[in-house]
Amino acid sequence: MKKLLFTLIAATAAMTCVNAQAAELKDGEQYITLSQERSAQPEVIEFFSFYCPHCYSFEMQYKIPEKVKSGLSQGTTFKQYHVDFLGPQGENLTRAWALAMALGVEDKVKAALFDGAQANAFKSMDDIRQKFIDNGVTAEQFDGGINSFAVNALVKKQQNLVAQFQVHGVPDFYVNNKFRVNPEGLSHDDFVGDYVKTVIELLKK
């Protein structure tokens, strides 16, 4: 009985130690602190590109954005913003993503836009437009919205935030405007789990 009790105590202590180590984040390792003001409300921002193969893996294979969203507390927002600087239709895809956000159809068109960009199938906005139509957005919705005031504002917002955060590579995650997740400092054994956990823990800082 004493031996069993000792084993349980030792196991609990070891588990506590592991959990403490897992939760311990260090500036310059798992994250980098930015020299700008914290956001007024808790939020997570991901910058991505439909052309980026790592973004495709994050989204479609490892489902990191989905796992991050499922771990957010009430009142915390998660936004995905597209960057212009990758691929021949990068700017058009930023505008198309702005339209998707304005219409609230991000989940309807996201996979199709990733597949099209990864296959380098987009030669013009017309090709992107067809993906929207194929996935439930009417031609009238697309044509009436793609150059609207609301979409122009969202295009500008994405571009301004890319400049503000000095984003040069994607996928790139930011928490509360104050912390950038540093993928180089995350666990190689459980990269996906560590990535998600780091984002959630940074929201508590």
Side-chain angles (χ1 to χ4, degrees):
M1 188 69 180
K2 286 184 178 179
K3 185 176 182 181
L4 177 60
L5 183 60
F6 177 80
T7 302
L8 288 173
I9 293 171
T12 302
M15 190 177 295
T16 302
C17 182
V18 168
N19 289 339
Q21 289 175 344
E24 184 182 355
L25 301 183
K26 293 184 179 178
D27 195 358
E29 291 188 15
Q30 298 99 329
Y31 71 96
I32 296 168
T33 300
L34 308 177
S35 58
Q36 56 185 29
E37 289 187 16
R38 182 187 297 268
S39 58
Q41 301 297 326
E43 65 177 10
V44 178
I45 295 174
E46 178 199 2
F47 293 98
F48 78 103
S49 168
F50 288 113
Y51 282 106
C52 164
H54 295 300
C55 298
Y56 180 90
S57 295
F58 263 49
E59 183 73 44
M60 309 303 293
Q61 183 178 357
Y62 302 120
K63 302 188 182 301
I64 290 176
E66 181 181 315
K67 291 173 181 177
V68 166
K69 282 190 284 187
S70 68
L72 298 180
S73 58
Q74 189 173 5
T76 302
T77 60
F78 178 80
K79 298 291 185 182
Q80 292 176 294
Y81 295 127
H82 196 266
V83 300
D84 287 351
F85 54 71
L86 289 177
Q89 296 297 316
E91 291 185 14
N92 279 340
L93 283 166
T94 294
R95 179 167 291 276
W97 187 243
L99 175 62
M101 288 191 286
L103 294 176
V105 297
E106 299 100 310
D107 291 340
K108 285 187 177 181
V109 302
K110 186 186 295 179
L113 294 178
F114 262 120
D115 289 342
Q118 292 295 303
N120 201 28
F122 297 139
K123 307 304 178 187
S124 69
M125 184 64 93
D126 287 339
D127 297 326
I128 298 170
R129 175 180 182 270
Q130 190 59 51
K131 291 293 185 184
F132 274 73
I133 294 171
D134 291 344
N135 288 277
V137 177
T138 67
E140 291 76 17
Q141 284 178 309
F142 187 95
D143 296 339
I146 194 65
N147 292 305
S148 65
F149 177 82
V151 166
N152 287 340
L154 282 170
V155 168
K156 195 66 179 174
K157 180 177 182 178
Q158 291 177 97
Q159 292 169 338
N160 287 344
L161 285 171
V162 168
Q164 175 186 326
F165 286 103
Q166 300 180 16
V167 178
H168 299 296
V170 287
D172 210 11
F173 276 71
Y174 294 83
V175 178
N176 291 343
N177 277 10
K178 195 66 183 174
F179 308 110
R180 174 185 176 267
V181 177
N182 179 31
E184 290 83 6
L186 301 181
S187 168
H188 295 294
D189 296 328
D190 183 19
F191 179 81
V192 173
D194 205 19
Y195 207 109
V196 174
K197 184 167 52 186
T198 297
V199 172
I200 301 304
E201 287 298 320
L202 285 173
L203 284 164
K204 302 173 184 176
K205 289 182 71 65

